[in-house]
Amino acid sequence: MTARYDLHTHSTRSDGTTTPAEIAIEAASIGLAGFALTDHDTVEGWHEARSTSAKLGIEFLPGMEVTTKHDYRSTHLLAYGIEPDSRELNVALERVRESRHGRAREMVRRLAADFDIDWQTIISGGEDRTLGRPHIADALVEAGYYADRGQAFTEVLHPRSPYYVPTYAIETVDAIRMVRAAGGVAVLAHPAAGRMTRPVDHSALAAFVSAGLWGIELNHPENRAEWMPGLAEAATGFGLHVTGASDYHGAGKANRLGECTSSQETWETIRSLVAVPR
Ligand code: AMP
Ligand code: FE
Ligand code: FE
Ligand code: ZN
């Protein structure tokens, strides 16, 4: 059987619902050869995922999904194998996490006028995880207002909602340069996700490639099929590597671990390029 690798997963260190160790256990049980942990804006889960993977005999690649924006559009950037002590990147990430914290607090304050939820419930889930709207969604679900995260997003957490507050995001081209300077490989996440009004455009891709983008996540459960032929052509034109991954969030999303995967060749190539390959 050919070895399969999932390059995009989230744990309880950000907005996933399973721990880094539980992801490793699930990865081994479904027969993945390895996986990357890519929590939002944090490396906190690496150690646990790494040690559990080693015990189970599967491979592990440390990663992260960085909150960035380009032309005022939210853009998620996957970073693999970065040196975790890299100062420039850490200063930027610290700002992202602090902004996320304050922004979540303000959204909860606004929501609390109309919903019976409070800040204490949100942070009781862990003070040091990267906060996001999914945690607010969970509080609304827990309080009985909505059936799941998806419904909470559709009803009150979307960007045009009166309860919505924006959060700081690093300029994508700056983030790509920082990831490279930190010895990492940068991959554009879900470039045609269905929740976007249009896929990433040619001029944005050109700017990302100039900054050092290595790959693009064309094989992702949320990429919209009708946008894919154009993007695949652009990726080839720019000489980008193509990755596949599930964007697993445990019970927080429909995406299943290993639903989309990357080849052993892609996995080995990334590992050969980065500062922290395991
Ligand atoms: P935030 O990080 O606060 O901007 O929230 C965005 C995160 O929410 C993404 O990383 C997704 O994992 C998650 N998300 C976005 N839309 C949905 C949805 N419809 N259902 C579940 N999770 C979602
Ligand atoms: Fe997420
Ligand atoms: Fe994302
Ligand atoms: Zn993700």
Side-chain angles (χ1 to χ4, degrees):
M1 219 178 69
T2 53
R4 295 181 304 122
Y5 298 83
D6 194 330
L7 281 171
H8 187 166
T9 68
H10 296 267
S11 77
T12 45
R13 292 302 184 151
S14 65
D15 58 4
T17 65
T18 53
T19 64
E22 285 166 342
I23 299 176
I25 291 164
E26 191 177 345
S29 80
I30 65 172
L32 290 179
F35 75 101
L37 183 70
T38 53
D39 275 312
H40 298 282
D41 310 306
T42 183
V43 303
E44 285 296 315
W46 287 9
H47 179 72
E48 183 184 320
R50 180 184 287 133
S51 63
T52 306
S53 297
K55 280 184 206 133
L56 296 167
I58 61 168
E59 295 174 58
F60 171 71
L61 174 66
M64 185 193 298
E65 187 174 17
V66 186
T67 301
T68 80
K69 64 170 191 301
H70 181 80
D71 267 351
Y72 305 100
R73 287 186 88 196
S74 171
T75 304
H76 285 180
L77 185 74
L78 293 162
Y80 297 109
I82 45 173
E83 180 51 63
D85 295 328
S86 157
R87 191 175 149 73
E88 188 191 22
L89 191 56
N90 277 325
V91 168
L93 290 169
E94 181 66 30
R95 183 169 170 201
V96 168
R97 290 190 301 261
E98 273 190 24
S99 177
R100 282 176 159 282
H101 194 93
R103 167 284 192 131
R105 195 166 189 148
E106 176 58 17
M107 282 188 73
V108 170
R109 194 191 66 78
R110 293 186 187 183
L111 284 158
D114 300 316
F115 298 86
D116 189 18
I117 61 165
D118 64 51
W119 182 242
Q120 214 46 49
T121 324
I122 307 280
I123 58 170
S124 65
E127 273 272 33
D128 57 354
R129 60 183 182 175
T130 304
L131 284 179
R133 285 174 287 164
H135 302 113
I136 305 174
D138 289 347
L140 290 164
V141 170
E142 181 68 26
Y145 295 104
Y146 303 113
D148 54 27
R149 282 185 182 180
Q151 195 187 11
F153 266 87
T154 307
E155 300 285 335
V156 288
L157 301 176
H158 58 83
R160 292 156 311 281
S161 160
Y163 305 107
Y164 181 82
V165 177
T167 191
Y168 169 71
I170 308 169
E171 284 295 331
T172 310
V173 290
D174 294 338
I176 293 170
R177 285 196 201 96
M178 287 181 218
V179 167
R180 298 244 322 192
V185 149
V187 172
L188 184 65
H190 45 70
R195 71 182 102 101
M196 312 196 303
T197 51
R198 55 188 166 82
V200 62
D201 60 49
H202 204 271
S203 68
L205 269 183
F208 300 164
V209 169
S210 295
L213 187 71
W214 181 85
I216 184 165
E217 194 181 49
L218 289 189
N219 188 7
H220 180 284
E222 291 158 73
N223 280 340
R224 257 202 231 169
E226 71 260 36
W227 291 337
M228 296 320 293
L231 269 186
E233 196 178 314
T236 305
F238 283 117
L240 287 167
H241 293 80
V242 169
T243 66
S246 71
D247 205 354
Y248 181 60
H249 280 70
K253 263 188 167 185
N255 312 30
R256 294 298 86 206
L257 188 66
E259 182 178 346
C260 294
T261 51
S262 292
S263 67
Q264 181 160 17
E265 189 193 348
T266 301
W267 177 268
E268 302 291 352
T269 305
I270 294 174
R271 277 190 147 179
S272 72
L273 293 170
V274 301
V276 186
R278 57 200 75 236

